[in-house]
Amino acid sequence: QSVLTQPPSASGTPGQRVTVSCSGGSSNIGSNTVNWYQQLPGTAPKLLIYTNNQRPSGVPDRFSGSKSGTSASLAISGLQSEDEADYHCAAWDDSLNGPVFGGGTKLTVL
Amino acid sequence: QVQVVQSGAEVKKPGASVKVSCKASGNIFTNYNIYWVRQAPGQGLEWMGIINPSGGSTNYAQKFQGRVTLTRDTSTGTVYMELRSLRSDDTAVYYCAREGTATTAFDIWGQGTMVTVSS
């Protein structure tokens, strides 16, 4: 059972905009920044968004992140077939004194 | 080119121990905290522990306290994770990851090491 809650799946057609939600509590998202990771099939996670809404160098601006209260969202616009992957949210948890993750959302491009 | 290479897949029997290595090219690990995260088949990511740049300080997730030990050899840029008293539910892919500067995000990951625990 993951500390952060994500929907297990999401889907969209090419060109569409999709969002993935991540819900937590006051000890994690409510008081710390959120990071997002993209995990392509059979590979290690890759940093996609850090500090709520910052993109590392090389990540397309089609990917964006936001946070409000104890929830966060990842938005992907102009959906492409290569975006088909698992997406994980993460945040530091002050009570557990370590990072916590969501269970991951499997994005399917129809 | 930034590169982190982990040791190869392992198959262990219940009750045994496993030690996984994570070696970084150049000095990309030198001044950074390194985390170990695991992912059971079809599951999400789970934090196991953190080791500081010098290797003098570690912090473990409560779930793994007493069973896991993180060490690092600063001369070779290699970090190690040892997990003892293995159980079938320890079957997972184990990743090392670097915590970036001024952020809690993991900006560099190893390729992962599959550990299978089976009798």
Side-chain angles (χ1 to χ4, degrees), chain B residues 1 11 13 15 28 39 42 75 88 91 104 106 113 116:
Chain B
Q1 183 179 351
V11 179
K13 294 193 180 304
I28 62 170
Q39 185 174 32
S75 66
S88 58
T91 294
T104 58
F106 303 143
T113 296
T116 303

Side-chain angles (χ1 to χ4, degrees), chain B residues 37-114:
Chain B
V37 175
R38 77 177 187 179
Q39 185 174 32
Q43 302 299 310
L45 302 168
E46 181 178 34
W47 168 65
M48 299 180 68
I50 171 180
I51 186 165
N52 76 336
S54 69
S57 177
T58 54
N59 185 34
Y60 303 118
Q62 187 172 10
K63 175 176 180 177
F64 300 100
Q65 289 273 2
R67 279 211 305 144
V68 69
T69 300
L70 303 186
T71 54
R72 69 194 294 172
D73 182 339
T74 56
S75 66
T76 63
T78 305
V79 183
Y80 300 91
M81 185 281 298
E82 181 181 32
L83 187 62
R84 300 176 292 278
S85 301
L86 289 168
R87 309 184 287 255
S88 58
D89 62 359
D90 289 319
T91 294
V93 177
Y94 290 76
Y95 296 101
C96 60
R98 187 185 85 168
E99 182 183 47
T101 304
T103 172
T104 58
F106 303 143
D107 60 353
I108 297 176
W109 294 69
Q111 86 276 18
T113 296
M114 181 71 209

Side-chain angles (χ1 to χ4, degrees), chain A residues 2 33 35 37 39 43-47 49-51 86 88 92 96-99 101-104, chain B residues 35 37 39 42-47 50 59 62 95 99 102-107 109-112:
Chain A
S2 300
T33 59
N35 308 308
Y37 301 92
Q39 186 174 28
T43 69
K46 167 195 162 186
L47 182 61
I49 297 287
Y50 67 96
T51 313
D86 292 330
H88 305 270
W92 187 266
L96 299 175
N97 198 28
F101 296 89
Chain B
Y35 285 73
V37 175
Q39 185 174 32
Q43 302 299 310
L45 302 168
E46 181 178 34
W47 168 65
I50 171 180
N59 185 34
Q62 187 172 10
Y95 296 101
E99 182 183 47
T103 172
T104 58
F106 303 143
D107 60 353
W109 294 69
Q111 86 276 18

Side-chain angles (χ1 to χ4, degrees), chain A residues 18 20 28-29 32 36-37 64-65 70 78 85 88-89 91 93 100 108:
Chain A
V18 298
V20 178
N28 42 69
I29 295 179
N32 295 293
W36 290 90
Y37 301 92
S64 62
T70 58
H88 305 270
C89 61
D93 191 293
V100 290
T108 301

